[in-house]
Amino acid sequence: NAGVTQTPKFQVLKTGQSMTLQCAQDMNHEYMSWYRQDPGMGLRLIHYSVGAGITDQGEVPNGYNVSRSTTEDFPLRLLSAAPSQTSVYFCASSYGGRAQETQYFGPGTRLLVL
Amino acid sequence: QQPVQSPQAVILREGEDAVINCSSSKALYSVHWYRQKHGEAPVFLMILLKGGEQKGHEKISASFNEKKQQSSLYLTASQLSYSGTYFCGTEISNSNYQLIWGAGTKLIIKP
């Protein structure tokens, strides 16, 4: 049981490049979410999904796209990277279809945009 | 809309007690507490639901005052392993499945 896995662990991008951050969970969780964490600001929700085929925007969705074609996978796409997107990105999942459950976080992806 | 956590940081000696507060301007449905160690992912501590009781886990417990829209996390007889940053995540009533997180409280435990 691997839990929540994220790849890559580290990434350096140039401004304007695009990339996909991968997130997968093997716990059959319905709810998955993406957060970014910046110093002194806690976690901010980017996008979330309450089940396969269903996604919605969080607090800071601009510049990011998501899709949920399977229960297991929830990739986050940066369309055109900007220095303001330099951050640590966490994927999380929880049983059931809402946030009112224990969230299990992945190890994070550290992204630097130059 | 972001809940306010206080204090921002606290330094304790091993064995001392600490209280971390989380206050929201919105009516809350639930409050979640997580601890994050440096360079690691946040780890779940407990959830407090509207209308629920005070929760506890070993020497870490929490309360939820719905009327004041506040939650407090109590760490008793702190251990070195308690060091880290504590975050509260709040679910606003009818929030449509989103958690809004505080900025965190950094706890340093010294021997």
Side-chain angles (χ1 to χ4, degrees):
Chain A
N1 200 343
V4 180
T5 58
Q6 289 183 239
T7 56
K9 290 185 179 179
F10 303 96
Q11 185 70 47
V12 179
L13 290 179
K14 294 181 179 179
T15 297
Q17 287 184 316
S18 62
M19 78 160 295
T20 299
L21 279 62
Q22 301 292 343
C23 174
Q25 52 90 11
D26 61 358
M27 298 175 282
N28 202 32
H29 285 173
E30 292 293 328
Y31 184 94
M32 296 186 74
S33 55
W34 275 103
Y35 293 96
R36 59 176 291 172
Q37 185 174 40
D38 303 299
M41 298 193 70
L43 296 160
R44 290 186 292 169
L45 184 66
I46 304 171
H47 286 284
Y48 66 96
S49 169
V50 299
I54 306 169
T55 63
D56 206 346
Q57 297 180 350
E59 295 175 82
V60 289
N62 293 339
Y64 308 94
N65 273 355
V66 292
S67 61
R68 184 96 180 269
S69 56
T70 66
T71 299
E72 294 78 21
D73 300 299
F74 191 43
L76 177 73
R77 281 181 287 276
L78 279 69
L79 308 174
S80 177
S84 60
Q85 293 179 304
T86 292
S87 188
V88 180
Y89 291 84
F90 287 103
C91 177
S93 73
S94 62
Y95 179 77
R98 62 180 304 155
Q100 194 197 60
E101 301 285 347
T102 303
Q103 292 204 50
Y104 296 86
F105 285 83
T109 293
R110 284 151 181 80
L111 177 67
L112 173 63
V113 183
L114 302 175
Chain B
Q1 204 173 10
Q2 182 183 33
V4 176
Q5 286 188 235
S6 62
Q8 289 184 320
V10 59
I11 301 173
L12 297 175
R13 292 285 179 189
E14 199 173 5
E16 293 182 336
D17 301 339
V19 180
I20 299 171
N21 300 302
C22 176
S23 179
S24 174
S25 60
K26 302 281 187 179
L28 299 177
Y29 189 88
S30 65
V31 179
H32 305 224
W33 285 99
Y34 285 73
R35 176 171 61 208
Q36 184 180 32
K37 294 188 179 288
H38 183 70
E40 299 180 5
V43 174
F44 170 78
L45 292 175
M46 63 188 74
I47 295 173
L48 298 103
L49 306 179
K50 183 177 179 180
E53 299 177 354
Q54 181 166 342
K55 297 281 189 177
H57 177 68
E58 296 182 349
K59 295 179 180 178
I60 300 176
S61 62
S63 63
F64 180 18
N65 186 323
E66 299 162 32
K67 290 184 179 180
K68 292 186 177 180
Q69 295 149 199
Q70 292 176 346
S71 177
S72 294
L73 186 70
Y74 307 94
L75 297 99
T76 305
S78 57
Q79 305 169 11
L80 294 176
S81 62
Y82 288 1
S83 292
T85 300
Y86 290 77
F87 292 97
C88 68
T90 55
E91 186 178 14
I92 299 168
S93 299
N94 300 319
S95 68
N96 204 27
Y97 310 107
Q98 299 189 35
L99 284 185
I100 308 299
W101 298 81
T105 295
K106 188 170 185 177
L107 178 64
I108 298 172
I109 310 293
K110 293 188 174 182

